[in-house]
Structure formats: C-alpha cells, structure tokens
Amino acid sequence: MKLFERIRKFFIGVESGMRETSVSLIERELEEYENIFSLLTMGIFAGIPSPPTGIVIRILPYMQREVSVMMKKTKDLSDAFGDTAGMFDIT
Amino acid sequence: MKVYFFLGKGGVGKTTISAAFGTGLSKNGHKVIVVSIDPAHNLGDAFDTTLSNRELKINENLYAVEVDIEKMTREYLDDLSKKMQHTYRYLTAMNLDRYFNILKLSPGIEEYATLEAIRKYIGSKNFDTVIFDTPPTGITLRVLAMPRLSVLWSERLISMRKAILSRRKMVENVKGKVEAEVEGEKIVLTSDEKEDEIMQELIKYREEMLELNKLFSSTSCEVHIVTMAEELALLETERILKSLSIFSITAKVIYLNKFMKIENPPEEIAGKIHEQEQVVTEMREKFKHLFIKEVPLLRASPRGIRDLLSVYESYIVR
C-alpha cells in the first residue's frame, strides 16, 4: 500500500510539474500577446503606424497593464537571448 | 434623416451651394441644419450672419453651425487626460504623461474630431436633414473612409484581445485569478470579455463605426460634388468618385459652379469657354449616372437667405 501511495504521489508530482511548465509557457505567450497588442495600438510613441486615432483614444485609458508589459519587455530587450533561453529552461 | 455631404476642392463654392441647398429644402418644409466642418469656416458669410459653435436659427426650419474642430479636439484630449489620471496612477513615474501631449499633434486627431462632429449631428433628433459643408476634398475623403478602416482595425484588435483573454483564462483555470503588480499595486486581471474594458470599448467603437459606415453607404446619405468646368477639376472629380466607390459611398449630383454662359465671348476668354464646353460634354458622357447641374458665374456672390434661395430655385432644384 505504501508503495502504491508513493507511486501515486510521484505521478501527481510529475503531472503538476508538467502543468507548471505548460502554464508558464502560456503565461509567456500571454505576455507576448499583450506586448504586441500595446505595440499595435500605442506604436505611435515609437513611430509604428497606428490604428485610426479614434480606436487609440477610446482604449488608451484602460491600457495600463499592457503599457507596463511593454515597458518591461523594452527593458528586457537588451537580453533577448537570455530571456528566450530562460523560457526553455536552458541554463 | 437625410444626410448630404458637399465635397470639392477649396474655393469652388461648396459653402454657397450647400447653404443654398439647405435654404431651399427648409423652404420646402424640411427641418434643416447646415453644419460647417471646414476649419476655415465661411458659412456665416454665405448666410450673411455670424455663426459659432452653437446652432443658430437662421430662418424658419433653417439652422446653421460652424463646428469648432480645434475646441472639440481639446475637449477630447482633456477628457482623455482625466480618465488617464484616474487609471494610470503610475503615469508620472513612467514619464508617460509628456508623451500624451503629442496626441494632440497626432495625425488623425482632426479627422477623429470631425467624425465625432458628424456623428453628433447625424444622431440629432431635432432635424430631418443635415447638410455638411466640408473641408477640401483630401481631408473629407479621409474622414469618410475612417468608419470602414476603423471597423477593419477594431475587428483585428478584437480577435487579438480574444486570444489574450483566452490565454488568461487558461492560466486562471490552473493558478486562479491572474494578478499583475503595477508600481507596487496589485491588480486582478479579468479573463471575461464582458468585464474587460478594452474589449468593451473595442466592441462599442466597432458598432458605432459599423452604424456610420452603413449610413454613409445607404440611400439616406448623398454626396454632392461641387466643382468647376475645367480639365483639372474633371480629373479630380474622377478621383473623388473612385475613392468614394472604394468605401461604397455614392455621389448623386455634380455642380459645375461659376459656369460662364457668354454668347459671343471676347477673344481673351474664348479658349476658356471652349475648354468648358469640352469638359461638360466629357462629364455628361463619363458620369451618366449623376445629375450634372450648371450654376453660372453670378454678377455678385450670393449672400443672405434671399440670394441663396434664388440660387436654389434657379439652378439647384431644376
């Protein structure tokens, strides 16, 4: 019985580890999406062609999260390789 | 509600023709407002009165207004700034506030304000006819194109937002509510489309633009082109019609303003008269589906209701 319990816990551990990895990948993907979304809508600040001004003006007040992601991404740009390596657990 | 846009190059007489058109319709019992959305207003001159940003009753059933686009832009940006101060608490820390100042100089802000002015008067229940005296062609075409472009953009952004929210939902299912820390403050991020303010704004804006786009391409909206019987004007008219057709907007009437009707013209202007005749013949052939109306060069510029009504009855309604 003890052995079975250990095997069960082992598989639960493996499953939770795998889940953690896949969720962190989704989180990274989510951040990338948020970053692209803000670059698309607020690219005007960086000279990227922007959507019609009407859209920008309407959503600008609610973009704080996206702006903070964009700022963070911009800071990390100097270490883009390290950033990508970290995503795939390459050390 | 019937909506008319008077389009044309600067100086061809859009204001006079649109004011005369409005005066005529109001005499026929329609409740009309003539709205000048040209930043270089001269609608007041045509009605021989002083107009402002407030609707002014000119005559029975006839109102006019000169929209202050600059003031509208300022108001939008002030409003935006207030909303931003409320939501972007960390704005000053990130030095973003100074960037927002450039928004007022951003390309498209004037077109946005113009479109909002158009929406305001189209939505008004006080009139059954709205006539827009527009800025020179280039700006007006950009304004008329804006709803369609905005719909395309908002649709793309909506699908992108959906992708963001669906990924948030996945993370939420495993780890619980997604939180973000902004300047030391924790914010719970929603994965629900109905709670996501950006998604709601995008959907709302798309609906507004769809409605406007529908109106622009419907039979309730007519574009009248004011031009002159000159070769260059003919080429420009062709370009206007082509641009309008891309956005499914149809023109109905072409006014050949300042048309010279002279029997036995002096030699100095004989060439001009000949060019005029050629252009008219070509226009009638090329634009068979449009009404082409000649408004002659008058001895004096029409000013005031009486003059405008006379122009309407003599050349426009015929």
Side-chain angles (χ1 to χ4, degrees), chain A residues 22 29-30 41 46-47 58 76 86:
Chain A
S22 51
E29 195 188 10
L30 173 60
T41 50
R58 291 292 183 96
D76 294 346

Side-chain angles (χ1 to χ4, degrees), chain B residues 1-69:
Chain B
M1 163 83 71
K2 197 89 178 154
V3 181
Y4 299 89
F5 286 95
F6 281 78
L7 245 78
K9 283 206 303 192
V12 290
K14 291 185 296 291
T15 306
T16 307
I17 304 283
S18 54
F21 190 74
T23 308
L25 290 190
S26 71
K27 278 279 167 196
N28 294 340
H30 293 280
K31 198 158 184 205
V32 180
I33 182 160
V34 186
V35 184
S36 167
I37 47 173
D38 184 352
H41 297 293
N42 62 344
L43 186 62
D45 299 336
F47 284 120
D48 203 14
T49 185
T50 308
L51 292 176
S52 73
N53 208 22
R54 288 187 172 192
E55 294 158 22
L56 181 77
K57 186 171 182 180
I58 306 278
N59 207 359
E60 190 60 36
N61 284 332
L62 181 63
Y63 294 75
V65 62
E66 289 178 344
V67 178
D68 189 342
I69 299 291

Side-chain angles (χ1 to χ4, degrees), chain B residues 283-302:
Chain B
M283 271 198 179
R284 290 199 191 282
E285 259 174 45
K286 278 190 173 167
F287 314 130
K288 279 184 184 140
H289 57 295
L290 298 177
F291 293 105
I292 298 177
K293 299 185 177 191
E294 292 160 14
V295 182
L297 182 67
L298 301 167
R299 282 171 193 271
S301 298

Side-chain angles (χ1 to χ4, degrees), chain B residues 86-275:
Chain B
H86 181 65
T87 49
Y88 287 65
R89 279 174 288 262
Y90 58 100
L91 197 69
T92 337
M94 281 181 158
N95 279 335
L96 266 176
D97 49 350
R98 66 193 164 94
Y99 288 106
F100 295 129
N101 285 334
I102 65 164
L103 259 178
K104 67 172 167 243
L105 306 169
S106 130
I109 193 87
E110 202 176 296
E111 283 90 338
Y112 172 67
T114 310
L115 197 64
E116 288 297 306
I118 292 173
R119 260 169 33 83
K120 179 183 160 190
Y121 287 100
I122 283 177
S124 165
K125 302 251 180 287
N126 301 331
F127 309 98
D128 58 44
T129 305
V130 185
I131 297 168
F132 291 102
D133 173 28
T134 66
T137 322
I139 302 172
T140 310
L141 287 178
R142 280 203 298 278
V143 171
L144 292 177
M146 218 187 203
R148 203 175 158 101
L149 285 178
S150 301
V151 169
L152 289 175
W153 265 97
S154 34
E155 271 168 4
R156 282 290 165 91
L157 292 174
I158 284 171
S159 65
M160 190 149 194
R161 201 70 204 157
K162 277 192 175 162
I164 290 175
L165 295 178
S166 81
R167 271 147 194 86
R168 246 184 223 167
K169 185 81 191 161
M170 286 180 210
V171 177
E172 203 179 277
N173 284 342
V174 179
K175 295 174 101 178
K177 284 277 178 198
V178 179
E179 285 185 341
E181 202 175 308
V182 181
E183 287 294 299
E185 204 174 320
K186 283 209 167 170
I187 314 168
V188 176
L189 303 173
T190 183
S191 63
D192 186 350
E193 281 186 19
K194 288 198 176 98
E195 284 172 16
D196 186 57
E197 282 160 319
I198 295 178
M199 182 63 122
Q200 289 309 308
E201 280 297 327
L202 286 172
I203 292 173
K204 205 170 128 204
Y205 196 60
R206 182 188 59 182
E207 296 309 314
E208 287 172 12
M209 292 298 111
L210 269 174
E211 206 176 305
L212 214 50
N213 194 33
K214 204 169 128 193
L215 177 91
F216 283 176
S217 47
S218 75
T219 48
S220 309
C221 178
E222 282 187 19
V223 170
H224 291 204
I225 299 169
V226 184
T227 186
M228 288 195 278
E230 290 171 353
E231 261 176 62
L232 289 180
L234 169 68
L235 295 173
E236 208 221 2
T237 307
E238 277 184 297
R239 273 195 294 273
I240 294 177
L241 291 172
K242 201 173 159 193
S243 304
L244 288 176
S245 70
I246 294 173
F247 301 106
S248 312
I249 301 169
T250 45
K252 279 274 155 72
V253 187
I254 296 178
Y255 299 95
L256 295 174
N257 198 18
K258 301 177 187 176
F259 193 84
M260 286 191 278
K261 275 190 172 165
I262 304 171
E263 283 175 32
N264 305 319
E267 208 175 311
E268 289 86 353
I269 58 163
K272 197 79 189 153
I273 301 285
H274 180 65
E275 179 191 342

